[in-house]
Amino acid sequence: MSARLRFKRVLIANRGEIALRIQRACRQLGLETVAVYSEADAQSRHVLEADIALCIGPAAAARSYLDAAGIILAAKVTGASAIHPGYGFLSENADFAEAVEKAGITFIGPTPDSIRLMGDKITAKQTMQASGVPCVPGSDGPLPEDESAILELANSVGFPVIVKASGGGGGRGMRVVWAADELIKAVALTRKEAQQAFGNPTLYLERFMQKPRHIEIQVLCDTHGTALWLGARDCSLQRRHQKVLEEAPPPGIPPELIAEIGTRCAQACRNIGYRGAGTFEFLYEDGIFAFIEMNTRLQVEHPITEETTSIDIVCAQIEIAQGKPLNITQSAIQTSGHAIECRINAENPFTFAPSPGPISRWDLPGGAGIRMDTHIVAGSVVQPYYDSLIAKVIAHGATRKEAIQRLKVALDEMRVATIETNIPLHQELLSDPDFLKGGVDIHHLEHLLEKRKNPDDKASLSTDI
Amino acid sequence: MTKPLSLPIFENLPNAEEIVQISQWLNEAGLNSLELSNAHGTRFRICVETAKNPAESSLQQNIVATQQVSTDISITAPYFGHLLLCNPVTMETFAPIGSSVCKGAIVAILQIEDLTLPVTASDNGTIVQILAKDGDLVGYGQPILKIQSQ
C-alpha cells in the first residue's frame, strides 16, 4: 500500500494487443484504466474490460488515436492523471508528451526533450558517440583532400566503404567502394556528382555493412539515477523493414560483447537523463556494433525480454512514472534461457495482402513456456483501418532449441478462421536451416521470399525490359 | 494539479454602457450570450434575451406542409463530453420531448472542460425520445435524442 501515488487512473492512448497489455499491468498495480477508442474498436476487448471507456472519434486514426488534443481532453473529463501512449500513434511525439505534462498529466514515457533528441538522427548519433556508444565506423567528419590521407582513412575503417555526399539523401550521392584501388576514382566521381547535384562537394565515408544483423538493447531508467540494460534482442527477420520474428538473446554473439554495449547504452541514458523504457537499435556485422537509432518507447517485441529477464517492463514503466526507484541492480539481471516471438498478422502468408474481417474460430495454444499477447477473441472483427497485428506468440525455453520446439507446436495448435494469417510463414521460418543455425542477416527473409517466388532461381537472371 | 491559466483576471468589469454595447454586438453577430471564465472558477457572463423569431415558426409550418413521410432519426454526439440538455444560461431545456426543431438547431451542448460544443439537429422534426441523461459523459457518435422527421 503506497501512501502517495502520482496517479491512480491511467488513460491508455492506444488500441489492440498493446492496449490490453497495458491495462493488465495497470490492474496488477491496483490502478484504474480509461480506454479511449475509435468507433471501429467499440467491441474491442480492452474497451469492454476498462473501468471507463470513452469513444473519442471515428475509425480514422487522425481523428481518434492521433487526436492529441482530444486525448488530453479525454483524460481531463475522465479524471485520468496519467497517459500511457503504448507504441506507434503518439508514443514518440515530443509535442504530445509536452502538452500532456503541461496539462498537469503524467506522461508514462521519457521527457519531451529526450524524445526530441533521439527523434533527430544526427543529434541522436552525436549524443551516442559522445557517450561512447559505437556508431558506424567512418570518417567522423568531411573527407580530406589529400589522396593518401583518404586511403589511410578508408583502410583504417575497413573495406568495403560507402562514400556519401554530406548534402545528399534519399539514396542519391553515394557510392560503395569494394577495394582500395577503386577508392580515389570513386571519391573524385562522387565529389563531382555531389557538387553538381547538391552544390556541396563535401563527402564523408563510412564502413559499408553488407549483411548486418539487427540487434537491439532494452534499457530501463528511473528518476533516481538508475539506468539498467536488460539484455539484447535479435530482430533480423524483417520484411520491408517490418520485424516478423524476434528472439532473445541474439544467437552466436558473445555475452561479454553484449554486456559491453549494454553498459555503454546505460551510461548514455544516465548522461542524457533518460527516463522510462527505451531501445537502442544497432546493426551488427563481423563483431562490430553500429548504433542506428533509439526508440523512446515500449517496443512490440518487449515480451521476449520480459521472458528472459523475468522483469515486467510495462509495470516498470508505470512505477517509474509514479516516481518510484527501480528496486533492482544491474548485477541481479540475468538472461535465463531463450525466448522467441512470432508476430501473427491478419494477412495472406504469400502475397501479404491484408485480410480483415470477422474471426469465427480462435483456438489458442498453451503449455509450458507459451505466452499469448492478443486482444482477439472468437467473434472479434479485424479492422481494415489499422496495423494487421492480431497476436504475438511467445515461446520461452531453457535453450534456443527448446524455445523453437515449443513455438512449432504452439503454431500447429493455433486454429484461426475465417481470416488469413501469416502462421504458415512462421512455420516455414522455424524449419529454415539458416534460421535454425542462427544469426541470419536483415536481408535473409527477403531473399527467402524471393526464392519462394522463383523456386528455380532463374527468373531473377532473365532480362526483363 | 496547478492550472496555468489565470486569465482573464476580472479586475475591471465593463460598466452599464459597455454592457449595452456588447449586447448589441452579440445581437448583430447572432449570438445570445458571452461567457468568460478563468481557472479560479470566476465567471463573467452577458446574455441577451431574444424574442421568439417569427420567421422560425413559419418555417416549421412550411416543413409540416411539404413533408409527409416520417422516420425516426438519432441525433448523435459530434465529439465526447458531458452532456447538457439545458441551456446553462437560461436553464431552459434545449429540446424537450414533443418540441419541433429545425435542421441545425442546437438540441444539447457537450461540455469538455472549458470548451462547449453544440449538438445540432441533423434534420427538421419533432423530438420523440431523449436517450442520454443530463450530465452524462457521452462518447463520439453516441445517440442523444431521437427526432421524428415529418
Side-chain angles (χ1 to χ4, degrees), chain A residues 39 52 54-58 63 67 69-71 73-74 76-78 102-105, chain B residues 1-4 76 78-82 111-115 137-142:
Chain A
E39 275 185 309
I52 298 172
L54 184 64
C55 182
I56 56 164
R63 289 184 56 199
D67 178 5
I71 286 170
L73 285 172
K76 291 281 194 181
V77 298
T78 56
K102 273 199 179 139
I105 299 166
Chain B
M1 206 163 18
T2 52
K3 286 195 178 185
T76 57
Y79 208 51
F80 59 86
H82 290 286
Q111 179 120 39
I112 318 140
E113 284 289 288
D114 296 335
L115 304 173
L137 178 59
V138 297
Y140 171 86
Q142 188 174 325

Side-chain angles (χ1 to χ4, degrees), chain A residues 10-123:
Chain A
V10 178
L11 181 144
I12 302 163
N14 217 297
R15 63 176 302 280
E17 68 87 19
I18 198 63
L20 186 61
R21 167 75 187 90
I22 296 163
Q23 179 150 279
R24 282 180 178 141
C26 291
R27 291 261 158 86
Q28 286 165 4
L29 295 169
L31 303 171
E32 291 179 336
T33 59
V34 176
V36 289
Y37 62 96
S38 76
E39 275 185 309
D41 285 330
Q43 296 306 310
S44 195
R45 188 171 166 193
H46 92 280
V47 171
L48 299 176
E49 292 176 2
D51 294 298
I52 298 172
L54 184 64
C55 182
I56 56 164
R63 289 184 56 199
S64 48
Y65 300 107
L66 289 171
D67 178 5
I71 286 170
I72 294 169
L73 285 172
K76 291 281 194 181
V77 298
T78 56
S81 40
I83 294 180
H84 195 307
Y87 53 66
F89 296 123
L90 295 167
S91 61
E92 287 181 290
N93 184 323
D95 293 339
F96 174 67
E98 195 163 86
V100 168
E101 300 206 329
K102 273 199 179 139
I105 299 166
T106 302
F107 180 73
I108 304 179
T111 61
D113 284 347
S114 290
I115 299 174
R116 231 170 248 133
L117 188 69
M118 292 303 142
D120 180 317
K121 290 211 175 189
I122 293 169
T123 58

